[in-house]
Amino acid sequence: MALKKYFPVFVLPTLAAFTIAFAVPFILGLFLSFTEFTTVIDAQWVGIANYIRALSNDDFINALWFTVRFTVVSVVTVNVIAFALATLLTKGLKGTNIFRTAFFMPNLIGGIVLGYIWQLIINGVLRFFDVTITYDPKYGFWGLVILMNWQLIGYMMIIYIAGLQNIPTDLQDASKVDGASRLQTLRNVTIPLVMPSITICLFLTITNSFKLFDQNLALTAGAPSKQTAMLALDIYNTFYGRIGWEGVGQAKAVIFFAIVAVISFIQLALTRRREVEQ
Amino acid sequence: MKRITAVLLSLAVVLTLAACGKKDDNSDMNAPKAGTVYFLNFKPEVADIYKEIAAEYKKEKGVDVKVVTAASNTYETTLKSEIAKADAPTIFQINGPVGYKAWAGYCEDLSDTKLYSYLTDKNLAVRSGNGVYGIPYVVEGYGIIYNDAIMRKYFALKDKAVSISKATDIKDFETLKAVVEDMTKHKKELGIDGVFASTSMGSGEQWRWTNHLASVPVYYEMKDESDDSTIVSTLGKKEIGFEYSKNFRNIFDLYLNNSVTAKGLLSGKSVDNAMAEFALGKAAMVQNGNWAWEQISGVSGNTVKAEDIKYLPIYTGAEGEEKQGLCIGTENYLAINKNASAEDKKASVEFLEWLFSSEKGKDYVVNKLKFISPFNTFKDDEMPADPLAKEILSWMKKDVNNLEWTFNSFPGQQFKDDFGNALLEYVQGSKDWSHVESAFRTSWKNER
């Protein structure tokens, strides 16, 4: 078959790109987490010592808890608000398109820029109390939540709108005829039918919240005393900030990868199961 | 036809990928056998000048010099990735004995080079055993910079609370404190917002306290223990008492309580902010080093005259400080990459020797880079003429005890961050001073 003959020709470019940009760095990273090194070419094998140091590192555990708390809060707020906005903006109100565009815009701004913008805004408000965002880790936490909401709501809203528009109107009409209240329609008709969108949105918000880096760096950089440092920032600081800790940083990164992978798989499996065929 | 298009397309992709990888090989082929120089520069403020020097050297000697500058605060990051490449830097910088510990595997022994023999004070070099691995190329000094115009205005006041009549009479912490606090009372008449420019506590902006200021109390602590160079004796300290913590607090509180900015807002301030406040005459004093001249003179609307800029030592209330001078030293040491080819290493050393001993090279160092050079190839009149550098040179000649840069031997960045974080919490009032002390001691022990 011709296809078989040309198989390598078609696959090669993609395969090469995948290998260079993903597989090689990933395997190298995995290998480096078991070694001690200054630069990536002078590694010495130390076994699981790095993992022990990583897990007994208070900063890492703190960052993990902070990240988990942040993820839970922002996943809930982002999705609830995005869904509410999507419902509003599919009702055929005046100016729907303008609102959709406006809500989507923050998503187009880079994380570092957003972080600094919000730092200015929040510090501008806190100025009246003669403090800044680094005064209390709570400020940093809620600052990050607000920032995350502001950035992600628009994006998630677009996905929910697409989902909502796919629901056939006859189903909603039918439920109305059957005497279902608005809440009942929402719970028993709308939500099951937009489940695919919910799957995607949950996946995106969970992974994005977990992996948050630029916004964290720009907004608080972990201050005060690393109490607002999330996992990615902690890994970065470990890798570059401490002599002799490069391997530990790498080990933290591998643990981080494992956590994100496990959580997203569980979430995907759970929500997929609830998706229904129309 | 379709088939051919597909093959052509795939080939195009493969070729572009290959072309990306090939570029470097080509330039290597054309490069002269004599060896090339790759200089990874640490000082962003003089990046363009190094480019000029490289072009001049190419014209004169025909040797390629590639200069790459790491952005502010990213030198270690850049070095880590650059040195892992096939085309690695041949000249890079370490920040002293602690930096040497991290890069020991990459530093060439320079004890046989002419460059080392040029060094006026051989003790300044970073050594280990019989080897010399880092050569300082600039001498710098820091202290409290003050604007004498404002000071003169203060001393002319009828109701001033101190008996001295000029800033140079300030010889200890007691006097400094009396003057500063009285100036704060008169700040309206003096036209300033505060005596000291903002104590910058933003992230990455705390080095004036965690490095420079902390160097002073640790210097005194180490001198109490032995007469050796404090840079050497501090390096061996596994644990530290922070015995002069009270002295650190003395001056740090003075900075905070007489500042342009309220304490709670300091975490948003950068070193640039502080230098701008000083340059605009909103503050009378600021703690910084002679490299800050460019920053002061570069601020538009700057009201500080060059002849009014003077230095005070950082007095902390330590015993015998009447004789204390500025903190003079360096954290800029040149190292040659051990793993580079023999030709490249030779070319790199020759480039540095040219820069620091030929007439043309020296002219660049003095007039463009504005370095106070630690080499004996420079005559007394071959020193930079900016006011802060001149001040440093005059303090070096005075009969005072200029302090070493003891902080060169502090533990790594993590220690400085921990200490800076504790200071920030103290500044914001959420933790008390004992928290700073314990963070200093604990982090020192952990990071050593």
Side-chain angles (χ1 to χ4, degrees):
Chain A
M1 272 261 311
L3 188 63
K4 215 167 202 175
K5 210 161 110 201
Y6 287 107
F7 178 75
V9 180
F10 287 115
V11 166
L12 197 67
T14 323
L15 190 68
F18 181 77
T19 317
I20 294 168
F22 180 77
V24 170
F26 185 79
I27 293 164
L28 189 65
L30 208 58
F31 164 72
L32 285 173
S33 71
F34 293 101
T35 62
E36 201 169 310
F37 62 97
T38 309
T39 62
V40 294
I41 47 170
D42 61 356
Q44 278 174 4
W45 191 262
V46 292
I48 58 161
N50 287 334
Y51 286 88
I52 296 170
R53 277 167 85 189
L55 289 171
S56 55
N57 182 233
D58 285 343
D59 292 339
F60 185 62
I61 306 299
N62 284 344
L64 182 60
W65 279 122
F66 186 84
T67 311
V68 169
R69 284 195 342 244
F70 169 78
T71 307
V72 171
V73 173
S74 49
V75 164
V76 172
T77 50
V78 167
N79 284 292
V80 168
I81 300 175
F83 189 82
L85 282 176
T87 327
L88 264 178
L89 294 180
T90 42
K91 293 249 188 280
L93 299 173
K94 232 184 202 170
T96 295
N97 277 332
I98 293 173
F99 280 118
R100 284 185 190 174
T101 318
F103 285 126
F104 187 71
M105 292 264 265
N107 195 55
L108 303 174
I109 308 173
I112 288 279
V113 180
L114 263 187
Y116 282 118
I117 292 175
W118 275 96
Q119 192 192 42
L120 285 176
I121 298 176
I122 295 172
N123 280 345
V125 173
L126 290 175
R127 208 188 167 87
F128 293 109
F129 308 96
D130 261 359
V131 291
T132 60
I133 189 163
T134 59
Y135 184 72
D136 190 321
K138 266 188 228 131
Y139 298 171
F141 179 83
W142 289 107
L144 278 170
V145 170
I146 293 172
L147 199 166
M148 195 65 184
N149 274 285
W150 199 65
Q151 186 174 27
L152 279 187
I153 281 175
Y155 190 13
M156 299 307 138
M157 179 195 74
I158 295 291
I159 299 177
Y160 282 127
I161 287 178
L164 287 170
Q165 283 172 337
N166 268 336
I167 299 176
T169 36
D170 45 348
L171 274 177
Q172 295 189 327
D173 292 342
S175 67
K176 210 183 260 172
V177 171
D178 288 342
S181 72
R182 268 202 190 164
L183 208 66
Q184 280 171 320
T185 320
L186 179 73
R187 204 168 60 194
N188 299 321
V189 180
T190 317
I191 289 188
L193 286 175
V194 293
M195 214 55 205
S197 307
I198 295 179
T199 309
I200 289 292
C201 286
L202 280 181
F203 178 80
L204 285 176
T205 40
I206 290 176
T207 51
N208 274 330
S209 309
F210 236 89
K211 296 188 300 185
L212 199 68
F213 176 75
D214 342 13
Q215 289 87 336
N216 190 202
L217 181 73
L219 193 71
T220 65
S225 288
K226 296 183 203 149
Q227 289 179 68
T228 60
M230 298 182 59
L231 279 176
L233 185 63
D234 181 58
I235 291 167
Y236 175 82
N237 286 337
T238 314
F239 193 94
Y240 288 114
R242 305 177 90 163
I243 294 165
W245 282 69
E246 290 87 351
V248 182
Q250 202 64 46
K252 285 182 179 181
V254 172
I255 299 173
F256 179 52
F257 163 76
I259 294 175
V260 176
V262 167
I263 291 181
S264 349
F265 272 121
I266 293 175
Q267 178 262 325
L268 279 181
L270 284 181
T271 44
R272 276 246 180 87
R273 209 183 296 158
R274 308 190 53 158
E275 285 175 16
V276 290
E277 294 288 325
Q278 274 177 29
Chain B
M1 188 59 208
K2 245 189 204 162
R3 231 185 243 172
I4 296 168
T5 330
V7 172
L8 280 178
L9 275 176
S10 327
L11 271 178
V13 173
V14 173
L15 281 179
T16 29
L17 276 177
C20 291
K22 261 225 171 103
K23 233 176 225 162
D24 291 337
D25 301 340
N26 277 339
S27 62
D28 273 355
M29 301 268 271
N30 299 335
K33 266 271 170 274
T36 53
V37 181
Y38 174 3
F39 179 34
L40 190 61
N41 170 32
F42 174 78
K43 288 173 166 283
E45 65 270 25
V46 290
D48 291 340
I49 300 165
Y50 273 122
K51 291 242 163 76
E52 264 178 59
I53 295 173
E56 182 64 40
Y57 193 64
K58 166 92 183 163
K59 215 166 74 191
E60 198 166 303
K61 305 272 173 176
V63 177
D64 282 315
V65 179
K66 175 175 159 196
V67 180
V68 171
T69 301
S72 176
N73 247 333
T74 62
Y75 195 77
E76 287 289 304
T77 324
T78 315
L79 181 56
K80 258 181 203 173
S81 59
E82 283 296 300
I83 212 154
K85 291 181 182 167
D87 184 18
T90 58
I91 308 173
F92 62 97
Q93 265 191 241
I94 52 176
N95 65 358
V98 174
Y100 169 67
K101 227 162 53 183
W103 294 103
Y106 292 88
C107 296
E108 174 87 351
D109 180 7
L110 300 171
S111 51
D112 293 334
T113 59
K114 267 194 266 167
L115 186 67
Y116 175 61
S117 73
Y118 294 156
L119 210 55
T120 317
D121 179 358
K122 304 277 189 288
N123 285 326
L124 287 175
V126 174
R127 21 167 106 248
S128 171
N130 288 325
V132 173
Y133 298 96
I135 294 183
Y137 62 90
V138 56
V139 173
E140 294 168 313
Y142 64 88
I144 299 173
I145 302 173
Y146 66 89
N147 182 347
D148 205 35
I150 300 176
M151 298 310 285
R152 282 196 306 267
K153 214 163 153 192
Y154 166 72
F155 285 114
L157 289 178
K158 290 216 166 51
D159 57 342
K160 70 174 160 65
V162 292
S163 54
I164 57 167
S165 59
K166 55 183 190 299
T168 44
D169 287 345
I170 300 174
K171 294 276 186 212
D172 55 22
F173 178 72
E174 280 313 307
T175 326
L176 177 66
K177 188 174 160 139
V179 169
V180 167
E181 287 179 348
D182 196 37
M183 283 176 79
T184 302
K185 273 185 214 142
H186 292 97
K187 65 184 178 187
K188 282 240 172 62
E189 294 150 82
L190 298 172
I192 52 175
D193 292 348
V195 180
F196 288 104
S198 298
T199 310
S200 57
M201 295 301 294
S203 91
E205 308 284 346
Q206 301 165 345
W207 46 266
R208 286 190 294 156
W209 332 114
T210 58
N211 301 7
H212 293 173
L213 188 55
S215 186
V216 178
V218 176
Y219 172 87
Y220 281 109
E221 179 168 349
M222 299 318 293
K223 276 294 171 197
D224 284 351
E225 290 180 11
S226 85
D227 276 340
D228 288 350
S229 148
T230 59
I231 297 179
V232 175
S233 51
T234 309
L235 196 61
K237 285 294 272 187
K238 293 264 178 287
E239 287 184 44
I240 192 129
F242 199 24
E243 305 295 340
Y244 284 80
S245 135
K246 195 180 103 257
N247 302 76
F248 184 95
R249 191 183 177 180
N250 276 345
I251 187 76
F252 195 64
D253 278 349
L254 195 69
Y255 289 164
L256 294 176
N257 296 333
N258 299 283
S259 173
V260 168
T261 311
K263 284 187 193 179
L265 299 176
L266 288 172
S267 67
K269 293 290 176 184
S270 65
V271 180
D272 279 345
N273 293 146
M275 297 322 292
E277 287 157 11
F278 180 79
L280 297 174
K282 287 184 187 164
M285 300 182 184
V286 62
Q287 181 203 308
N288 213 341
N290 56 301
W291 55 86
W293 170 244
E294 295 291 324
Q295 267 172 305
I296 297 172
S297 63
V299 173
S300 68
N302 122 57
T303 59
V304 187
K305 292 205 187 70
E307 66 269 22
D308 286 334
I309 292 199
K310 297 280 169 354
Y311 262 118
L312 267 181
I314 302 176
Y315 294 121
T316 58
E319 213 172 300
E321 67 181 359
E322 299 75 29
K323 276 271 165 201
Q324 186 188 314
L326 304 180
C327 300
I328 293 179
T330 185
E331 57 173 342
N332 294 286
Y333 298 86
L334 292 168
I336 302 286
N337 185 356
K338 192 158 87 180
N339 305 330
S341 71
E343 298 88 51
D344 286 356
K345 282 193 275 199
K346 188 160 162 280
S348 303
V349 173
E350 279 169 0
F351 167 67
L352 292 175
E353 287 169 354
W354 173 84
L355 183 61
F356 293 111
S357 70
S358 78
E359 285 308 312
K360 223 172 213 152
K362 280 179 358 186
D363 183 52
Y364 274 112
V365 173
V366 174
N367 296 320
K368 293 274 180 66
L369 295 172
K370 301 202 167 120
F371 291 163
I372 303 174
S373 201
F375 299 111
N376 57 22
T377 47
F378 289 78
K379 292 183 214 73
D380 276 354
D381 58 341
E382 289 176 320
M383 289 293 163
D386 74 76
L388 289 178
K390 275 205 255 174
E391 273 281 292
I392 299 287
L393 287 165
S394 86
W395 275 90
M396 282 166 85
K397 291 196 188 94
K398 277 186 197 173
D399 177 29
V400 289
N401 172 27
N402 287 316
L403 308 188
E404 292 154 346
W405 284 23
T406 311
F407 73 86
N408 275 358
S409 299
F410 282 10
Q413 191 56 40
Q414 184 69 36
F415 162 75
K416 290 163 187 167
D417 288 349
D418 289 344
F419 177 42
N421 287 333
L423 279 178
L424 176 61
E425 287 178 300
Y426 169 71
V427 168
Q428 295 178 334
S430 47
K431 293 276 170 63
D432 58 13
W433 186 254
S434 64
H435 173 69
V436 177
E437 288 178 327
S438 74
F440 193 93
R441 294 183 190 122
T442 325
S443 182
W444 185 293
K445 203 167 99 190
N446 293 344
E447 297 304 319
R448 185 43 103 192

